[in-house]
Amino acid sequence: QVHLVESGGGVVQAGGSLRLSCEASGSYVSRYSVGWFRRAPGKEREFVAAISWSEDNTYYSDSVKGRFTISKENAANMVYVYLEMNNLRPEDTAVYYCAADQHLRVVTKKSGFLQIWGQGTQVTVSS
C-alpha cells in the first residue's frame, strides 16, 4: 500500500511562492501517477496538477497553468512529488492534497475513484 505525506504549506502574501512536497512510500510507488488537488472553504475539491509515473506527462488546471509546476524525484523506495507555486493569489488559498493511482486517467479525470490520499497541507495567501 502506498502512503502519502504532504508538507510545505504556510502563509504567504499575494505574489509570493511556496513549494509543496508529497512524500510517497510503499510497494511499487514509482509506478504510481500522482496528482495535487485542493479544497477551498465552501467549495468543491478541485484538480490542480498531475504527473505521470513515467514523468513524460504533466497536466494542469487552467487556473494554475503558467504559475504552478509539478515535478517528481525518485529515491530509494520513495518518490517525492513537488508542486512549485509562484505568483500566488488569494484565490489559491485552500487545503492542498496529493493523491496517487496506478492509472493516470483516474488521477486526471476520475478523482472520485482515488483511494490513496495524503492528510493535506494548508496554503493561505493574503492580499
Side-chain angles (χ1 to χ4, degrees):
Q1 177 70 349
V2 171
H3 183 61
L4 305 176
V5 178
E6 302 97 334
S7 62
V11 180
V12 64
Q13 287 189 329
S17 299
L18 280 175
R19 187 175 84 155
L20 304 184
S21 298
C22 175
E23 180 182 290
S25 59
S27 300
Y28 304 104
V29 65
S30 63
R31 300 301 294 264
Y32 280 71
S33 296
V34 177
W36 283 97
F37 298 79
R38 66 187 182 187
R39 188 191 298 272
K43 293 189 177 181
E44 297 285 322
R45 186 180 64 206
E46 174 188 18
F47 168 79
V48 175
I51 187 165
S52 62
W53 68 268
S54 65
E55 301 177 60
D56 288 343
N57 301 101
T58 56
Y59 303 84
Y60 299 93
S61 68
D62 289 341
S63 62
V64 307
K65 198 173 295 182
R67 300 187 298 122
F68 291 12
T69 302
I70 190 170
S71 61
K72 186 181 175 190
E73 177 184 345
N74 291 330
N77 299 317
M78 302 283 288
V79 169
Y80 298 90
V81 178
Y82 304 106
L83 186 68
E84 186 74 35
M85 307 185 296
N86 298 312
N87 192 20
L88 282 161
R89 305 167 180 169
E91 55 263 39
D92 294 317
T93 294
V95 178
Y96 284 70
Y97 301 88
C98 60
D101 197 273
Q102 290 182 299
H103 303 286
L104 177 61
R105 185 171 177 80
V106 172
V107 178
T108 59
K109 300 292 185 185
K110 303 287 186 182
S111 64
F113 292 94
L114 286 166
Q115 296 187 352
I116 303 172
W117 292 88
Q119 83 289 350
T121 185
Q122 175 71 46
V123 172
T124 302
V125 184
S126 62
S127 57

